[in-house]
Amino acid sequence: MMLLGEKKCVPYLFDAVHPTVLFGSFAAVIVLTMATMNLLLLLVSFAGALALSVWVRGWRATGTTLVWQIPLVVLCAVINPLFASTGSIELFRIGTKAIYLESVVTGAATGLMLVSIMLWFSLASQILTSDKILTIIGKRMPTMGLIISMTLRLVPRLVERGRHIDSAVRATTVITPRTIIERIAARLRIVSVLMGWSMEDSLETADAMRARGWGAVPYRTSYRPYRFRIFDAAIGIAILAILITLVVLIRGIS
């Protein structure tokens, strides 16, 4: 499920690759991004996530994401020197507090790591669709696969439904909230309707699953079958080789 304004389809290249390879590649890049504080490697990770986001989601949705992600990086770079004032290159002083270049760079790297991880997780939730997740773990752990696939679609669905409820409320009332209390009450009303809608939908989903025999057999077939081919093995080996090279380089740099 995708947010409004995003592309409605994933490039065919990702559908042509086995879900296990896709899962492994996303897991590798997320773990590597979390394991390093090197600013250059974090910039590469962020640039890769940004390029993939533009390709999958489009310029508009990616730009909307950057509107709040870039200020987050700046905020981390500004706040970190106030709590971890260490380094050798002093930039300026705030009273008796010295601000060092190393602290600013460390804060920027922390913020860049956070936004990069969020971008990679967002892309993984769009590319690794429900049928692909069920293909990976659905046969061995059907309940876990169902929980993960439903969780990945929960937040986008809640956001979209919240916008629908807000539009309906605005269209059916002539009273515009003006004070802070009225705005809070209007938002709480939207949340209440959204929660009721979600609980009703969960009951209908449970009844539909029970009617279709969910849990009647220990193993279930996948909605879309995927075969692990030589092409997938070659891509997996290439990703593994790149992963080992990057780990060696990270250890050498640190």
Side-chain angles (χ1 to χ4, degrees):
M1 303 298 293
M2 300 184 184
L3 298 178
L4 297 179
E6 296 177 347
K7 288 186 175 180
K8 299 300 182 181
C9 60
V10 175
Y12 173 74
L13 175 63
F14 298 106
D15 288 334
V17 181
H18 195 274
T20 304
V21 178
L22 293 176
F23 178 81
S25 61
F26 277 111
V29 72
I30 290 174
V31 170
L32 283 177
T33 303
M34 296 173 60
T36 181
M37 285 295 293
N38 185 277
L39 186 59
L40 178 59
L41 294 177
L42 292 174
L43 283 173
V44 172
S45 177
F46 177 74
L50 193 63
L52 184 59
S53 178
V54 171
W55 186 24
V56 174
R57 303 169 60 200
W59 287 99
R60 182 178 179 181
T62 303
T64 303
T65 304
L66 291 178
V67 168
W68 63 269
Q69 287 185 341
I70 298 301
L72 178 60
V73 177
V74 176
L75 182 63
C76 291
V78 171
I79 292 179
N80 186 70
L82 301 178
F83 295 94
S85 183
T86 57
S88 59
I89 304 177
E90 182 178 335
L91 298 177
F92 55 89
R93 286 181 174 267
I94 301 178
T96 59
K97 186 74 172 181
I99 305 299
Y100 295 96
L101 177 62
E102 291 83 352
S103 298
V104 175
V105 173
T106 302
T110 303
L112 197 60
M113 179 181 65
L114 291 175
V115 298
S116 298
I117 292 173
M118 286 187 287
L119 267 177
W120 284 117
F121 269 112
S122 175
L123 292 168
S125 66
Q126 293 183 2
I127 294 175
L128 291 173
T129 53
S130 300
D131 60 315
K132 294 179 180 179
I133 294 176
L134 291 175
T135 299
I136 299 173
I137 61 176
K139 292 183 179 180
R140 298 297 179 184
M141 296 180 290
T143 304
M144 183 61 67
L146 179 66
I147 292 175
I148 295 176
S149 62
M150 294 183 69
T151 302
L152 290 176
R153 63 182 294 196
L154 178 63
V155 175
R157 172 179 286 187
L158 289 179
V159 172
E160 186 174 359
R161 285 182 173 179
R163 291 175 178 174
H164 291 167
I165 295 171
D166 185 49
S167 299
V169 171
R170 291 177 182 272
T172 56
T173 181
V174 295
I175 301 176
T176 303
R178 296 182 179 180
T179 64
I180 297 179
I181 297 178
E182 290 178 350
R183 292 177 182 176
I184 294 176
R187 293 299 177 184
L188 290 177
R189 191 180 304 113
I190 293 175
V191 172
S192 176
V193 175
L194 181 61
M195 292 298 102
W197 190 358
S198 300
M199 287 187 288
E200 181 182 0
D201 184 65
S202 64
L203 293 176
E204 293 177 355
T205 302
D207 291 338
M209 291 173 60
R210 190 178 297 109
R212 288 166 173 78
W214 175 264
V217 293
Y219 298 101
R220 300 181 63 90
T221 58
S222 301
Y223 173 74
R224 181 178 178 183
Y226 292 92
R227 293 184 178 180
F228 198 85
R229 303 158 298 171
I230 298 178
F231 172 74
D232 300 315
I235 294 180
I237 293 174
I239 293 175
L240 182 61
I242 295 174
L243 175 63
I244 295 174
T245 303
L246 287 176
V247 170
V248 173
L249 291 176
I250 292 174
R251 289 178 61 87
I253 292 175
S254 59

